[in-house]
Structure formats: C-alpha cells, structure tokens
Amino acid sequence: MARVPGICSLCKDKDYPPCTVFSIPTFNNKPKYHKFYNFLRQDIVGEKKYLTCEEACPDSLILDEVGLKLNSENCIGVGLCLINCPFGVLEFNSNFSVQQGPLSEDERAELRRKVGCFFNGNPFPVPEKIVGGRRISLETYTAEKETKHLSTWAASVLKFLSGDSHSYVGLEIEILRAKKPRDGRIDVCARSGDDVLIVESKVSLEKAVTEGSFHIQMKGYLEESEKFISKYNKLFDASLRRYAILLIGGRESDLLPPGHKSNTGVVGGYNKRFYEIVEREKIKFVSATALWCLLVWSVVAGRKLHWDLVCEDVLFKKNVFGLLSGGIVAKERDKFLLKSVTPEKIDSIVRDAS
Amino acid sequence: MAVLINRNPVGRLICLHSLLRYLFAQFGMEEFTLNDLKYDKKKRHTITDFCPLLLKISSVRSRVCPYLKTPLSEAVCYLTQSVEYDSQKSKSASDALNALDGLGWVDRGTQSSRITSFGETIAAKDFNALGDLLLESVLSYGPFVGFLWKALANSRGAVVKRGDIFAGFPDTKEVYEEGGRKILLSTGSRKDTNVRTKSVLFCWGLSVGLFSPLSKVDIASYILEQRWTLREFKINYSEKLFSGLYVKRPLEYQWLTKSTKALRERYQGPQRETTLRLEGKVQNRRFAVVYSLAKAAEIGKGINYERLIDRLQEEKEFVINTAPFRQVMELEKEVAWLAGIPFREKGGILIPKTRIDMKIAKRGAPEKILSFLDSIMEEVILDG
C-alpha cells in the first residue's frame, strides 16, 4: 500500500485507532485492600481507556475521513502512539518526533548516533518544542498530573518493555497500609513472568521531597506486598520476586548527583535531602527521562531493554541507587557519581523485540 | 425534598440545565428514577445530546466531557456518571437530582421524581436565554438564600471572603455519655463538605450576578474551569433582596442533619451508631428553630429564643444532654439560615428575613413534634 507521508489510513474507519487510544486492565478490589493480590492473580474485571498523545502533544494526531494525520511539528516523542500501533508504521525521526516512516538512511544514521549517547555518562537533553506559545517536552509532560500523565505513560512503556508475552500492568493498585488503611495505592504495577515491579511516581524531585513521605509509602508497600507475594508463591508453587522503584518525572537535572556540574536541584536543598533519604532508606530511583531512553533505545534498535533485566542486572546492584539518562547513579568512596552503562552491559541485557 | 448539596459538579448550572433537557426529552412530565439520570447509551436520548460543553478530541471520533479524570472514562458524564461505570455509587446522580430539586426544576420523591411545570419552562429555553428565570431558580433553594445572607453579614465593604463563611451544619461538639463511655456526636458538617458546598453556592451566585470577582475574571469562563480558585467576591445585592422573599425549597425535616450513614468506618463505628440513634432529637430541635421562625414569618413577627429553649428543654424529644442544652441551642440556631430562613437577632428576639414553604419544610416531621410546637407558638412568637 502506498504511504502518503504524514497520513496513515490503516485504521481510518475506527472510532479509536489503536495508536490513539490504549487500554490498561482494572483488577478486582474484593476483598478490600486485596487488589494487589488480585493483580498477581491477574483477576481482571475490566479495562480503562486512555488517550495516547492528546495530553502530551496537542493536535499531533488528527483523525478524519482520510485517515490519521501525524503532525510531527507538535510531537515531543512521548512515544505512546508508536508503541501501541499494531502495524509498526510509526517511527522516531532524528528529532525524536514520531512520524509515519520510512526514514532516509541519513536520518536513520543520525538517530542511531544520538541514541548511542544514551547512558554514556552524560545527561541526555530531551527534545523540546514550542507549541501554542508553551515550551513542551517529556519533562514538562511528566512534571504535572501524576496519575493522568506520568503513571499512565509509565505503565504503557513498562508493558512495552516487558519480556514476557503474557505481561501486564496496572494502575492505582490498592494495598493495605497498616497505619493508614485507606491511603495505600501503588501508582503502577507491572508483572513480567516471575518479576513484579512496584512503582511509586512523583512528578518532580521537589514534590517528592516536600511531601516527605515517599520512603514511608514505599516501605509500607514493600512490607505489605511481601506478604501477598509469599502467599501467592506458597499457594501456586511459584517464585515471584519483587522490585520497587521511585519514578520521578519533570526536570531530570534536579536528580543529578550532588556536586554534578549540571545539577539544578540545589535550590531549597531538595537534591541533598533526596540523596540522604535514598541512601538511608536504600531506595532505587529512575527518572522519567531514563525510562524514555530505554523505550527509544528499544524502538530504534529493534531489540528491547526489558525492565526486569534492567532491574536485575543494572539497577538492583550493590552501590547503585538510580538510573538517569546519563547512566547509573552509584556511590563510590562516599560520593555519588553518574556513571555510564557500557555498550557491552547493554548488549548483555538486551533481547530481541517480541 | 430539599437537601444540602455538596459536590462540585452541580456548581455549573449549565450542566444541570443540560441534564434537565435530557430528562424532559426522555420522560416529559412522567416519572423517572435516580438511575435514569445516569448516562445510558441504550436510551433514546442521553445527556450528551444536550451538553454544549463536550470537547472534540482530534485523534478519535469522540466528544467528551471536559471534567472527567480521563477523557475516555466510561463514566461519560462528570455530573451524573453512567450506568456502566459509576465509581461514586450514585452519589453524583443523587447530588445532581438534589440540585435540580433545590432549583425547583424537579420534584424529588423517595422512589421517583418528576419535572415541575417551572422545570418544563426552563427546559424549553436555551441556557443563555434563561435570564431572570435562573435567578428565580437559585432563590428557590433554602441553603443558597441563607448563604447569601451569611455572605452579606460577613462582608466588609461589600466584599466577602470565602473563608469567612461556614456553609454546613453546626457542630455542637456534644459528648454523649453511655455506659461509662464518652462519645463525641457527629452533628456538624466536615471541613471538606463545607468547602465543596461553598464552592457550589459561590458559583451559582456568580452565574446570576449576585457575586462578582474582584479581579478582571470572565465569569462564564471561570465557572467552566476545572477548579474554582477565587477567594474573594464582590457582593452585588443588599438586604432588600430578602424582603418578601419566599423560599420554595427550604431544607426539610429529615435533611436538617447530615447523612450520618455516610460516616466512614475508620474507627468511627461507635460514633456513627450513637449519632444515628440520637439523630431524631437533633432533627427535632433544629426543626423547632426553623418551624418557629417560619411560623413567625407568616405573620410578620419574631420569636423569643430563650423562651423557645425553655420549652424545648422540658421535652425529652429535643434533649440529648440536659446540662449544656442552652449552649447547644445557641449553636443550633445557625441551622435556620442553612434551611433558608435567615434572621436578625435583637435582644434575644430572632426576626426572620424570609418566608419558606412550610409544606416542604415540615415533610417527614413527626406529628407529635408538630403538635407540640404548635402548642407553644403563642408563647414563643412575639412582635419583632
């Protein structure tokens, strides 16, 4: 079929083309506070629909009688449309906007060169656009509306980056918090095979620190989830293992290690306090930008950096505290450093795209 | 029935108008149930057929309610939710129906409701063409009238601050002792309810020009925003507004207390049970205040509040704890303005500023309470 640049007519008769709307399952919440256990059991009771790009890049996707028009000018490369398209007709261009392919060889080479800079020890600047007089980027998108933007986007990306073909994700999974029974809600859960990921989302470093409760929340989730996982493992003779991360949206440079030349989190002492808490409570954190890098790398390479392997082989290693677009945040000789993840390391954990 | 509304969606009168239009198209003057308010794609008409606020999403063939948490939520309508997806367990639909009733557009019954002839007139017009009919509608609602009074009373230089008004049931902080245990009764509105009720009533006031923003804010656009953030308002009315005002939808007897059943389970079991058990007495004494004022208003007189308290104190149907009864009643008289019959106080005499529809107000009141109150009116009512 001949492709008209910028227009895809594959789903033109659908009210909800799959690249514009995606679904996330909802899980049984009975008995009370058992939604996490029901998540493990994949006790799905329905699904909720979400728009891919409408919130992130207004008017970047327009459906009319002809088909779906992609307006790459407005696209900041959030990537939801791309990963949800069942026909694989969408690609990142060298500016990380999504377009209906194919790319020229030169553009593909440029894109690969840029992606090669991910995790190389230097923070990667996400693309920015000016739309309607507003500066927008992945960072501005994930810096607001924690549930609507950051968590929903993360859930879809984690589903894409799952190795198991039966993997699934969930949002706002209720779990008991002993001291505050009604307040336990895990922002994002993902399961891939025997690996379970619990994600606590915060739209910014400042929010995480000023609220001052993310470590208490995560501790509570870890304790409670452990009980359910043990119960599940015993009942089903399984060997589930659990990872928990703090996902932080917004400006990634706020999260750079203390003393890093590009650190913007010094004002208010947020960065310092954050690292004190993270070290004391042994919390693993990931920036939204880093998660985006995993996504883009996987799409461009045609091979996936599965989250479970990233957790096992990269993030959940001794002395590693976080993952940013420039690499891992590790502590060496009493100092936090941003260190690259070598191409060899990446090669060792990458898998063919399923 | 007139009930205290407390959910934000009903602050947008245009949404309520769309709902009324749908109800009229679907049911005409026939009865409908609470569930009929919810969006149901199987019905011949739906609220989305009449809603002018729906947003077109460019990437799908859909128009959606702009106030939903997620645009493609199966709730479809923020005001009423849908039959397929109602995370609010009919609270949204119920509050919308209460608002329609409060405006006089609908008569809400226990099992079913019906559009009134006034509602029929409203439904026939476009929202922007309602004019004075909208003012007449909001002035039907007792709590709104009382709210206007409170705003005026708390204003300084014709400016009122949101924080200066409490729009809820009085909290008497009564402690009931039983079997050696002291239980704090839950008679007052919670802070979050108060905030929500105020938000709604300020929006209504803005919609009909009784309030205006201090800054250059477009009122129509402000009301359509997701959040209402104004804290100060200019008052565009005076005490003259209340002169001769007849409130068609005062709070009725059984709705003079908050929904105690809604008390959450978080360690509030004993409080909830005890408050429920004693609720009748709270309703009785609050109704006594409203009824006395209403009776006095009918003949242009006031009530001697001390005398009323003296008489009520002698009857067990009004008294929970004997000792602090007088202090409790000093707080309880605030319920009068919430019901729609605000008053001026002068030397212990309460002078009502409006009249209310007694038929509505005394709905559900026990006969023996009515008889008792009628028997003491002569000593309680006196010249204002």
Side-chain angles (χ1 to χ4, degrees), chain A residues 241-291:
Chain A
R241 59 183 175 177
R242 176 216 58 219
Y243 299 103
I245 62 168
L246 175 67
L247 175 69
I248 304 188
R251 197 167 51 192
E252 191 196 51
S253 52
D254 288 347
L255 291 168
L256 289 167
H260 191 283
K261 64 178 194 277
S262 303
N263 185 340
T264 52
V266 177
V267 174
Y270 297 129
N271 180 272
K272 184 167 178 261
R273 280 191 354 239
F274 175 72
Y275 272 87
E276 281 168 2
I277 297 171
V278 150
E279 185 179 12
R280 187 182 70 230
E281 306 290 337
K282 296 183 178 32
I283 288 172
K284 306 285 184 180
F285 67 90
V286 177
S287 67
T289 308
L291 184 59

Short mmCIF file of all heavy atoms in Angstrom, two decimals, chain A residues 241-291:
data_model
loop_
_atom_site.label_atom_id
_atom_site.label_comp_id
_atom_site.label_asym_id
_atom_site.label_seq_id
_atom_site.Cartn_x
_atom_site.Cartn_y
_atom_site.Cartn_z
N ARG A 241 9.39 -12.67 42.31
CA ARG A 241 10.26 -11.76 43.05
C ARG A 241 9.86 -10.33 42.69
O ARG A 241 9.34 -10.08 41.60
CB ARG A 241 11.73 -12.02 42.74
CG ARG A 241 12.07 -11.88 41.31
CD ARG A 241 13.51 -12.21 41.06
NE ARG A 241 13.77 -12.18 39.63
CZ ARG A 241 14.95 -12.37 39.10
NH1 ARG A 241 16.00 -12.62 39.87
NH2 ARG A 241 15.10 -12.33 37.79
N ARG A 242 10.15 -9.44 43.64
CA ARG A 242 9.59 -8.11 43.52
C ARG A 242 10.67 -7.04 43.49
O ARG A 242 11.65 -7.11 44.22
CB ARG A 242 8.65 -7.90 44.72
CG ARG A 242 8.02 -6.54 44.81
CD ARG A 242 7.91 -6.11 46.26
NE ARG A 242 9.20 -6.11 46.86
CZ ARG A 242 9.45 -6.51 48.08
NH1 ARG A 242 8.49 -6.94 48.86
NH2 ARG A 242 10.67 -6.48 48.57
N TYR A 243 10.49 -6.06 42.63
CA TYR A 243 11.33 -4.88 42.61
C TYR A 243 10.45 -3.67 42.91
O TYR A 243 9.28 -3.66 42.55
CB TYR A 243 11.97 -4.68 41.22
CG TYR A 243 12.86 -5.82 40.79
CD1 TYR A 243 12.42 -6.75 39.85
CD2 TYR A 243 14.16 -5.95 41.30
CE1 TYR A 243 13.24 -7.79 39.44
CE2 TYR A 243 14.98 -7.00 40.90
CZ TYR A 243 14.51 -7.91 39.97
OH TYR A 243 15.32 -8.94 39.57
N ALA A 244 11.03 -2.67 43.54
CA ALA A 244 10.27 -1.44 43.80
C ALA A 244 11.14 -0.25 43.43
O ALA A 244 12.32 -0.19 43.81
CB ALA A 244 9.88 -1.36 45.27
N ILE A 245 10.57 0.66 42.67
CA ILE A 245 11.35 1.84 42.28
C ILE A 245 10.53 3.11 42.51
O ILE A 245 9.30 3.07 42.51
CB ILE A 245 11.81 1.80 40.80
CG1 ILE A 245 10.60 1.75 39.87
CG2 ILE A 245 12.76 0.65 40.54
CD1 ILE A 245 10.96 2.00 38.42
N LEU A 246 11.25 4.18 42.63
CA LEU A 246 10.64 5.50 42.69
C LEU A 246 10.86 6.14 41.33
O LEU A 246 11.99 6.29 40.87
CB LEU A 246 11.32 6.34 43.79
CG LEU A 246 10.90 7.80 43.91
CD1 LEU A 246 9.45 7.89 44.37
CD2 LEU A 246 11.80 8.54 44.89
N LEU A 247 9.78 6.46 40.64
CA LEU A 247 9.88 7.06 39.31
C LEU A 247 9.63 8.56 39.45
O LEU A 247 8.60 8.97 40.00
CB LEU A 247 8.83 6.45 38.37
CG LEU A 247 8.73 7.06 36.98
CD1 LEU A 247 9.98 6.71 36.16
CD2 LEU A 247 7.50 6.54 36.25
N ILE A 248 10.57 9.35 38.98
CA ILE A 248 10.43 10.80 39.15
C ILE A 248 10.38 11.49 37.80
O ILE A 248 11.27 11.33 36.96
CB ILE A 248 11.58 11.37 39.98
CG1 ILE A 248 11.65 10.64 41.32
CG2 ILE A 248 11.38 12.87 40.21
CD1 ILE A 248 12.61 11.21 42.31
N GLY A 249 9.31 12.26 37.60
CA GLY A 249 9.15 13.00 36.37
C GLY A 249 9.78 14.38 36.46
O GLY A 249 10.50 14.70 37.41
N GLY A 250 9.47 15.18 35.46
CA GLY A 250 9.95 16.55 35.49
C GLY A 250 11.41 16.66 35.10
O GLY A 250 11.97 15.81 34.41
N ARG A 251 12.03 17.71 35.58
CA ARG A 251 13.39 18.04 35.18
C ARG A 251 14.40 17.04 35.74
O ARG A 251 14.61 16.96 36.96
CB ARG A 251 13.70 19.45 35.66
CG ARG A 251 14.88 20.11 35.00
CD ARG A 251 14.92 21.59 35.29
NE ARG A 251 14.81 21.85 36.72
CZ ARG A 251 14.58 23.06 37.22
NH1 ARG A 251 14.41 24.09 36.42
NH2 ARG A 251 14.49 23.23 38.53
N GLU A 252 15.04 16.31 34.86
CA GLU A 252 15.95 15.26 35.31
C GLU A 252 17.21 15.83 35.95
O GLU A 252 17.78 15.22 36.85
CB GLU A 252 16.36 14.37 34.12
CG GLU A 252 17.09 13.12 34.59
CD GLU A 252 17.85 12.42 33.48
OE1 GLU A 252 18.63 13.08 32.76
OE2 GLU A 252 17.66 11.20 33.35
N SER A 253 17.62 17.01 35.52
CA SER A 253 18.86 17.58 36.05
C SER A 253 18.75 17.87 37.56
O SER A 253 19.77 17.99 38.24
CB SER A 253 19.24 18.85 35.30
OG SER A 253 18.15 19.75 35.26
N ASP A 254 17.52 17.93 38.08
CA ASP A 254 17.36 18.08 39.54
C ASP A 254 17.86 16.84 40.27
O ASP A 254 18.19 16.89 41.45
CB ASP A 254 15.89 18.29 39.90
CG ASP A 254 15.37 19.66 39.50
OD1 ASP A 254 16.19 20.54 39.17
OD2 ASP A 254 14.13 19.84 39.52
N LEU A 255 17.87 15.72 39.54
CA LEU A 255 18.18 14.44 40.19
C LEU A 255 19.65 14.06 40.08
O LEU A 255 20.06 13.02 40.59
CB LEU A 255 17.35 13.33 39.53
CG LEU A 255 15.86 13.38 39.80
CD1 LEU A 255 15.12 12.42 38.85
CD2 LEU A 255 15.54 13.00 41.23
N LEU A 256 20.44 14.86 39.37
CA LEU A 256 21.85 14.51 39.22
C LEU A 256 22.52 14.46 40.59
O LEU A 256 22.09 15.14 41.52
CB LEU A 256 22.54 15.53 38.30
CG LEU A 256 22.11 15.42 36.83
CD1 LEU A 256 22.58 16.63 36.05
CD2 LEU A 256 22.68 14.14 36.21
N PRO A 257 23.58 13.67 40.69
CA PRO A 257 24.23 13.52 42.00
C PRO A 257 24.70 14.86 42.56
O PRO A 257 25.06 15.76 41.79
CB PRO A 257 25.42 12.61 41.70
CG PRO A 257 25.06 11.89 40.46
CD PRO A 257 24.18 12.80 39.68
N PRO A 258 24.69 15.00 43.88
CA PRO A 258 25.20 16.22 44.48
C PRO A 258 26.62 16.52 43.99
O PRO A 258 27.45 15.62 43.91
CB PRO A 258 25.22 15.90 45.98
CG PRO A 258 24.23 14.80 46.15
CD PRO A 258 24.25 14.02 44.87
N GLY A 259 26.84 17.74 43.60
CA GLY A 259 28.16 18.10 43.11
C GLY A 259 28.31 18.00 41.61
O GLY A 259 29.28 18.51 41.05
N HIS A 260 27.38 17.35 40.93
CA HIS A 260 27.46 17.26 39.47
C HIS A 260 27.33 18.65 38.87
O HIS A 260 26.50 19.45 39.32
CB HIS A 260 26.37 16.33 38.95
CG HIS A 260 26.53 15.97 37.50
ND1 HIS A 260 26.22 16.83 36.47
CD2 HIS A 260 26.99 14.84 36.92
CE1 HIS A 260 26.48 16.24 35.32
NE2 HIS A 260 26.96 15.02 35.57
N LYS A 261 28.11 18.93 37.85
CA LYS A 261 28.16 20.31 37.32
C LYS A 261 26.81 20.78 36.76
O LYS A 261 26.55 21.96 36.68
CB LYS A 261 29.26 20.43 36.27
CG LYS A 261 29.06 19.60 35.02
CD LYS A 261 30.23 19.86 34.04
CE LYS A 261 29.93 19.32 32.67
NZ LYS A 261 30.14 18.00 32.35
N SER A 262 25.98 19.86 36.34
CA SER A 262 24.69 20.26 35.75
C SER A 262 23.51 20.09 36.70
O SER A 262 22.36 20.20 36.30
CB SER A 262 24.42 19.43 34.49
OG SER A 262 25.48 19.58 33.57
N ASN A 263 23.81 19.86 37.95
CA ASN A 263 22.75 19.66 38.95
C ASN A 263 21.94 20.93 39.14
O ASN A 263 22.50 21.99 39.41
CB ASN A 263 23.42 19.25 40.27
CG ASN A 263 22.41 18.90 41.34
OD1 ASN A 263 21.25 19.28 41.29
ND2 ASN A 263 22.87 18.15 42.33
N THR A 264 20.61 20.84 38.97
CA THR A 264 19.75 22.01 39.17
C THR A 264 18.87 21.86 40.41
O THR A 264 17.95 22.65 40.62
CB THR A 264 18.85 22.23 37.94
OG1 THR A 264 18.16 21.01 37.66
CG2 THR A 264 19.65 22.68 36.73
N GLY A 265 19.13 20.85 41.20
CA GLY A 265 18.28 20.59 42.36
C GLY A 265 18.80 21.14 43.67
O GLY A 265 18.32 20.79 44.74
N VAL A 266 19.81 22.04 43.55
CA VAL A 266 20.47 22.52 44.77
C VAL A 266 19.56 23.48 45.55
O VAL A 266 19.51 23.46 46.77
CB VAL A 266 21.80 23.23 44.40
CG1 VAL A 266 22.45 23.81 45.64
CG2 VAL A 266 22.73 22.25 43.72
N VAL A 267 18.81 24.29 44.80
CA VAL A 267 17.96 25.30 45.44
C VAL A 267 16.97 24.63 46.38
O VAL A 267 16.32 23.65 46.01
CB VAL A 267 17.20 26.12 44.37
CG1 VAL A 267 16.22 27.07 45.02
CG2 VAL A 267 18.18 26.87 43.49
N GLY A 268 16.89 25.13 47.58
CA GLY A 268 15.95 24.58 48.55
C GLY A 268 16.50 23.35 49.26
O GLY A 268 15.88 22.80 50.15
N GLY A 269 17.66 22.92 48.82
CA GLY A 269 18.26 21.74 49.46
C GLY A 269 17.56 20.45 49.12
O GLY A 269 17.78 19.43 49.77
N TYR A 270 16.72 20.48 48.07
CA TYR A 270 15.94 19.28 47.76
C TYR A 270 16.83 18.12 47.34
O TYR A 270 16.62 16.99 47.75
CB TYR A 270 14.93 19.56 46.63
CG TYR A 270 13.90 20.59 46.99
CD1 TYR A 270 13.66 21.67 46.15
CD2 TYR A 270 13.16 20.49 48.17
CE1 TYR A 270 12.71 22.62 46.48
CE2 TYR A 270 12.22 21.45 48.50
CZ TYR A 270 12.01 22.52 47.65
OH TYR A 270 11.07 23.46 47.98
N ASN A 271 17.80 18.41 46.49
CA ASN A 271 18.67 17.36 45.97
C ASN A 271 19.43 16.69 47.11
O ASN A 271 19.50 15.46 47.19
CB ASN A 271 19.63 17.98 44.94
CG ASN A 271 20.57 16.97 44.33
OD1 ASN A 271 21.65 16.69 44.86
ND2 ASN A 271 20.17 16.40 43.20
N LYS A 272 19.94 17.49 48.00
CA LYS A 272 20.73 16.94 49.13
C LYS A 272 19.84 16.07 50.00
O LYS A 272 20.23 14.95 50.36
CB LYS A 272 21.30 18.12 49.92
CG LYS A 272 22.22 17.75 51.07
CD LYS A 272 22.97 18.99 51.59
CE LYS A 272 23.84 18.61 52.77
NZ LYS A 272 23.28 18.92 54.06
N ARG A 273 18.66 16.58 50.31
CA ARG A 273 17.76 15.82 51.19
C ARG A 273 17.33 14.52 50.52
O ARG A 273 17.22 13.48 51.15
CB ARG A 273 16.52 16.66 51.54
CG ARG A 273 16.86 17.61 52.63
CD ARG A 273 15.82 18.38 53.33
NE ARG A 273 14.46 18.36 52.93
CZ ARG A 273 13.80 19.48 52.59
NH1 ARG A 273 14.41 20.63 52.53
NH2 ARG A 273 12.53 19.40 52.29
N PHE A 274 17.11 14.64 49.21
CA PHE A 274 16.68 13.46 48.46
C PHE A 274 17.73 12.35 48.56
O PHE A 274 17.42 11.19 48.87
CB PHE A 274 16.43 13.84 47.00
CG PHE A 274 16.09 12.67 46.12
CD1 PHE A 274 14.85 12.04 46.20
CD2 PHE A 274 17.01 12.19 45.20
CE1 PHE A 274 14.54 10.96 45.39
CE2 PHE A 274 16.70 11.10 44.38
CZ PHE A 274 15.46 10.49 44.47
N TYR A 275 18.97 12.71 48.31
CA TYR A 275 20.01 11.69 48.33
C TYR A 275 20.24 11.12 49.73
O TYR A 275 20.57 9.95 49.89
CB TYR A 275 21.31 12.25 47.72
CG TYR A 275 21.35 12.07 46.23
CD1 TYR A 275 20.79 13.00 45.36
CD2 TYR A 275 21.93 10.92 45.68
CE1 TYR A 275 20.79 12.81 43.99
CE2 TYR A 275 21.94 10.72 44.30
CZ TYR A 275 21.36 11.67 43.47
OH TYR A 275 21.38 11.47 42.10
N GLU A 276 20.04 11.96 50.71
CA GLU A 276 20.16 11.46 52.11
C GLU A 276 19.11 10.38 52.37
O GLU A 276 19.41 9.32 52.93
CB GLU A 276 19.98 12.61 53.10
CG GLU A 276 21.21 13.49 53.28
CD GLU A 276 20.91 14.79 54.04
OE1 GLU A 276 19.75 15.01 54.48
OE2 GLU A 276 21.84 15.59 54.16
N ILE A 277 17.88 10.67 51.93
CA ILE A 277 16.79 9.72 52.17
C ILE A 277 17.02 8.43 51.36
O ILE A 277 16.87 7.32 51.86
CB ILE A 277 15.42 10.33 51.79
CG1 ILE A 277 15.12 11.54 52.68
CG2 ILE A 277 14.32 9.30 51.91
CD1 ILE A 277 13.91 12.33 52.23
N VAL A 278 17.39 8.62 50.11
CA VAL A 278 17.57 7.47 49.21
C VAL A 278 18.65 6.54 49.74
O VAL A 278 18.51 5.31 49.72
CB VAL A 278 17.88 8.01 47.80
CG1 VAL A 278 18.73 7.07 47.01
CG2 VAL A 278 16.61 8.33 47.05
N GLU A 279 19.70 7.12 50.25
CA GLU A 279 20.80 6.29 50.76
C GLU A 279 20.39 5.62 52.07
O GLU A 279 20.63 4.43 52.26
CB GLU A 279 22.05 7.16 50.99
CG GLU A 279 23.25 6.31 51.42
CD GLU A 279 24.50 7.13 51.63
OE1 GLU A 279 24.44 8.38 51.67
OE2 GLU A 279 25.56 6.50 51.76
N ARG A 280 19.76 6.38 52.93
CA ARG A 280 19.38 5.85 54.24
C ARG A 280 18.35 4.73 54.09
O ARG A 280 18.43 3.70 54.73
CB ARG A 280 18.83 6.97 55.11
CG ARG A 280 18.55 6.59 56.56
CD ARG A 280 17.97 7.75 57.35
NE ARG A 280 16.60 8.04 56.92
CZ ARG A 280 16.16 9.25 56.60
NH1 ARG A 280 16.96 10.30 56.64
NH2 ARG A 280 14.91 9.44 56.23
N GLU A 281 17.39 4.96 53.22
CA GLU A 281 16.28 4.00 53.09
C GLU A 281 16.51 2.99 51.98
O GLU A 281 15.66 2.14 51.74
CB GLU A 281 14.96 4.76 52.80
CG GLU A 281 14.63 5.84 53.82
CD GLU A 281 14.25 5.28 55.18
OE1 GLU A 281 13.84 4.10 55.25
OE2 GLU A 281 14.39 6.00 56.18
N LYS A 282 17.63 3.10 51.30
CA LYS A 282 18.00 2.16 50.22
C LYS A 282 16.92 2.10 49.15
O LYS A 282 16.43 1.03 48.79
CB LYS A 282 18.29 0.77 50.80
CG LYS A 282 19.48 0.77 51.74
CD LYS A 282 19.77 -0.64 52.25
CE LYS A 282 20.98 -0.72 53.16
NZ LYS A 282 21.28 0.42 54.00
N ILE A 283 16.58 3.26 48.65
CA ILE A 283 15.55 3.34 47.61
C ILE A 283 16.22 3.44 46.25
O ILE A 283 17.21 4.15 46.09
CB ILE A 283 14.65 4.56 47.88
CG1 ILE A 283 13.77 4.26 49.10
CG2 ILE A 283 13.79 4.92 46.68
CD1 ILE A 283 12.98 5.41 49.58
N LYS A 284 15.63 2.74 45.28
CA LYS A 284 16.13 2.83 43.89
C LYS A 284 15.23 3.80 43.14
O LYS A 284 14.00 3.68 43.22
CB LYS A 284 16.06 1.46 43.20
CG LYS A 284 16.76 0.35 43.98
CD LYS A 284 18.26 0.44 43.88
CE LYS A 284 18.91 -0.75 44.58
NZ LYS A 284 20.37 -0.71 44.51
N PHE A 285 15.84 4.74 42.42
CA PHE A 285 15.02 5.68 41.69
C PHE A 285 15.39 5.66 40.21
O PHE A 285 16.51 5.32 39.81
CB PHE A 285 15.16 7.10 42.27
CG PHE A 285 16.52 7.71 42.10
CD1 PHE A 285 16.84 8.48 40.98
CD2 PHE A 285 17.51 7.55 43.08
CE1 PHE A 285 18.08 9.05 40.82
CE2 PHE A 285 18.76 8.12 42.93
CZ PHE A 285 19.05 8.88 41.80
N VAL A 286 14.38 6.04 39.41
CA VAL A 286 14.56 6.12 37.96
C VAL A 286 13.90 7.42 37.50
O VAL A 286 12.79 7.74 37.94
CB VAL A 286 13.88 4.92 37.25
CG1 VAL A 286 13.99 5.05 35.73
CG2 VAL A 286 14.49 3.61 37.70
N SER A 287 14.57 8.14 36.64
CA SER A 287 13.94 9.34 36.11
C SER A 287 13.04 8.96 34.94
O SER A 287 13.28 7.96 34.25
CB SER A 287 15.00 10.35 35.63
OG SER A 287 15.67 9.83 34.50
N ALA A 288 12.02 9.76 34.72
CA ALA A 288 11.15 9.53 33.56
C ALA A 288 11.97 9.60 32.28
O ALA A 288 11.73 8.86 31.33
CB ALA A 288 10.01 10.54 33.54
N THR A 289 12.96 10.46 32.27
CA THR A 289 13.81 10.59 31.08
C THR A 289 14.57 9.30 30.82
O THR A 289 14.73 8.87 29.68
CB THR A 289 14.79 11.77 31.25
OG1 THR A 289 14.05 12.92 31.62
CG2 THR A 289 15.53 12.05 29.96
N ALA A 290 15.03 8.67 31.89
CA ALA A 290 15.75 7.39 31.74
C ALA A 290 14.81 6.33 31.18
O ALA A 290 15.20 5.53 30.31
CB ALA A 290 16.32 6.94 33.07
N LEU A 291 13.59 6.29 31.68
CA LEU A 291 12.62 5.32 31.18
C LEU A 291 12.35 5.58 29.70
O LEU A 291 12.24 4.65 28.90
CB LEU A 291 11.33 5.41 32.00
CG LEU A 291 10.24 4.39 31.68
CD1 LEU A 291 10.74 2.96 31.88
CD2 LEU A 291 9.00 4.62 32.56
#
